[in-house]
Amino acid sequence: MRILVTGGAGFIGSHLCDRLIEEGHDVVALDNLITGSTDNIAHLAGNPRFHFIHHDVTEYIFVSGGLDFIFHLASPASPLDYLTYPIQTLKVGALGTHKALGLALEKKAGFLLASTSEVYGDPLVHPQPEDYWGNVNPVGPRGVYDEAKRFAEALAFAYMRYHGLVVRVARIFNTYGPRMRAEDGRVVPAFICQALRGEDLTVFGDGSQTRSFCYVSDTVEGLLRLAWSDDPGPVNIGNPEEMTVLEFAETMLSMIGGGGRIVFQPLPVDDPKVRRPDISHARTRLGWEPRVSLEEGLGHTISYFREKLCL
Ligand code: NAD
Ligand code: UDP
């Protein structure tokens, strides 16, 4: 197949491009590099089955030739990034998703939206099943991301119902691995890099909030299973192994050492208190569940950052 990956120079997008190339597809990655980097796809340069287009998906998208499928991942994803780029985040979720859906219609291609657990906001139902409608503050600082993704989901389903487009919606939960940016502010690269540098680990709030971390190869496998299924979703893709942020900081210190202490900083506004995916749907309908343990996934990620930081 010939497949477009928007956000293809980002963290998850670049791993998805690798998998698609490995499986023999032709891949076009499209990215404006606002939070991504060509470093993530440098190893694919020169591959005749890979092509990169530097473009902002909120503007009319032109891709020559046919396309069979579009994975739409373009969007800032780290809370620090979407607070730095609030308008761009709203625009890419709304206008960018509209342009990408229009392209899918024009090319008669299937379409997968990379949505997020943030559509559940600060959830009042735990763990989160797909039929939970969420608890989002539309005017809070995180609203720029949460509402953009909620709009993107609604738009994708409207294209499915009105135009008959083949649509798949994945709600991705916290995913980590090599190629995250050391300074993107997300807790996994933050704690790993702090520990590797011997700095204190900055736990926000009292650290009792929970997250469930999924290794990137598992997330990519989930996206592919969903894309090639006959199920529009939405489907949660994440690892149900839940821990508090404080436990995660302690795990990092025991795995890396470094001599730093745990220090507490204010909790960001609307930071969800709990998050854990109910993955019954993915298990039964896609035959998918995460395979990589936290210890193994963190091992790969720590090695990546050790090399990246020249330590
Ligand atoms: P990332 O920031 O590494 O990747 C996003 C990519 O999109 C970047 O390369 C960026 O430059 C590009 N991009 C942003 N706006 C664009 C625009 N207007 N035009 C073209 N390209 C644009 O983040 P990621 O973690 O790889 O996330 C990828 C996708 O997965 C995002 O849509 C995100 O919302 C979703 N997601 C990620 C997670 C996670 O834990 N990593 C969780 C839930 C959802
Ligand atoms: N967090 C933290 N210290 C940091 C970065 C993040 O305690 O240096 C917390 C953050 O407040 C949140 C959790 O870790 O409760 C996960 O944050 P992240 O930015 O990775 O993603 P989120 O799940 O909030 O989208």
Side-chain angles (χ1 to χ4, degrees):
M1 285 194 276
R2 188 158 188 262
I3 298 175
L4 177 72
V5 180
T6 77
F11 158 52
I12 301 179
S14 63
H15 286 281
L16 177 61
C17 289
D18 285 349
R19 259 302 288 275
L20 293 169
I21 291 277
E22 264 168 45
E23 293 187 2
H25 302 294
D26 285 359
V27 175
V28 180
L30 190 148
D31 203 299
N32 70 350
L33 305 178
I34 187 172
T35 57
S37 167
T38 50
D39 290 352
N40 292 334
I41 47 171
H43 57 286
L44 295 173
N47 185 322
R49 287 194 288 106
F50 181 76
H51 182 58
F52 176 66
I53 303 175
H54 187 186
H55 181 74
D56 184 334
V57 288
T58 67
E59 306 289 340
Y60 181 84
I61 309 170
F62 175 76
V63 177
S64 62
L67 284 177
D68 301 294
F69 204 91
I70 298 176
F71 287 89
H72 180 47
L73 274 69
S75 170
S78 130
L80 188 63
D81 287 342
Y82 55 77
L83 297 183
T84 309
Y85 303 112
I87 315 282
Q88 290 94 329
T89 301
L90 281 158
K91 282 178 72 178
V92 73
L95 307 180
T97 303
H98 186 222
K99 297 282 184 294
L101 282 162
L103 181 69
L105 202 58
E106 163 71 21
K107 301 284 187 186
K108 299 183 172 55
F111 183 92
L112 182 141
L113 172 69
S115 185
T116 169
S117 54
E118 283 277 330
V119 300
Y120 303 121
D122 188 3
L124 304 176
V125 172
H126 191 66
Q128 295 78 55
E130 289 86 352
D131 59 7
Y132 175 48
W133 293 351
N135 178 40
V136 170
N137 174 3
V139 295
R142 295 177 89 102
V144 298
Y145 181 66
D146 302 10
E147 296 294 7
K149 289 288 186 179
R150 289 168 69 96
F151 177 85
E153 288 197 7
L155 194 60
F157 274 94
Y159 266 69
M160 183 182 83
R161 292 192 191 104
Y162 186 77
H163 291 298
L165 194 74
V166 171
V167 162
R168 309 281 178 257
V169 174
R171 291 185 179 152
I172 303 171
F173 283 62
N174 296 65
T175 294
Y176 71 97
R179 300 187 196 154
M180 295 181 98
R181 290 182 354 262
E183 311 299 337
D184 86 0
R186 288 186 271 196
V187 71
V188 175
F191 286 179
I192 291 178
C193 295
Q194 287 165 345
L196 286 173
R197 291 173 176 136
E199 297 168 0
D200 292 341
L201 271 59
T202 52
V203 168
F204 297 162
D206 62 5
S208 62
Q209 69 274 32
T210 68
R211 292 297 185 271
S212 311
F213 300 105
C214 190
Y215 189 62
V216 63
S217 61
D218 281 331
T219 296
V220 166
E221 175 68 25
L223 296 180
L224 292 177
R225 295 256 183 136
L226 176 60
W228 314 146
S229 76
D230 57 5
D231 186 348
V235 180
N236 289 339
I237 300 292
N239 192 320
E241 203 184 309
E242 181 183 13
M243 64 200 307
T244 68
V245 167
L246 188 57
E247 283 166 349
F248 183 60
E250 285 159 354
T251 305
M252 287 296 86
L253 285 180
S254 70
M255 281 181 84
I256 303 174
R261 295 165 309 131
I262 291 173
V263 296
F264 294 91
Q265 293 190 354
L267 191 67
V269 176
D270 295 335
D271 197 287
K273 285 181 268 309
V274 288
R275 181 179 291 154
R276 175 187 180 185
D278 177 336
I279 61 164
S280 320
H281 190 122
R283 277 199 176 108
T284 53
R285 301 288 299 271
L286 308 179
W288 175 87
E289 64 183 359
R291 303 247 168 253
V292 181
S293 69
L294 188 66
E295 199 185 358
E296 184 189 346
L298 286 175
H300 297 312
T301 313
I302 292 165
S303 304
Y304 170 81
F305 280 112
R306 194 167 271 156
E307 201 172 310
K308 195 87 185 157
L309 302 176
C310 305
L311 293 165

